[in-house]
Amino acid sequence: MGDPSETETRELYHTANETLCVITKSFEYFTGVKPAFEEALDRDICVQILFLDPKHLTEENEAVQREVVSYIDETYPCVDYRFSDEKLPWRGTLTDPSMEYETGKAIFLVEEKDVPLHMRQAAVTENGSFVAGMKRYFDLIWEYESRETVRD
């Protein structure tokens, strides 16, 4: 994630009131958002992270993911995470979506294989209906196309 995207992500972590849902490949930008992540946890924000299954990652990204997951496991036992069985078409963070379409904020980045992270475009939205729709996507992947642990 480039600097503007990390700045927006940190802002979402800071302003979350109840929930924070992260969709990520390996959470390679974790160190850049860690203080805001911890501050959200200190405020009892419910955090769920949906990682891409390591079978879809490069060796380098797999090592990053393994390190981040291990750290989250050891340091933040209250954080729920799962691994998506299928490739994820976008990455991002959702906060406080409501199914009444009244609240919610999000940042999204589309997967662009040959475009460096710092050059990818991000979309930031406070459109409650859009964020609710993306939360439904998150929940469906979480419930039906992901698992709690990585296969050995």
Side-chain angles (χ1 to χ4, degrees), residues 7 12 17 22 88 110 132 140 152:
T7 300
L12 288 174
N17 293 314
V22 178
L88 298 166
V110 178
L140 288 168
D152 291 337

Side-chain angles (χ1 to χ4, degrees), residues 54-74:
K55 70 183 175 190
H56 299 296
L57 298 175
T58 64
E59 198 172 300
E60 179 182 338
N61 278 323
E62 185 178 0
V64 169
Q65 184 191 78
R66 189 173 34 255
E67 184 177 318
V68 170
V69 168
S70 177
Y71 182 79
I72 288 172
D73 235 2
E74 294 170 14

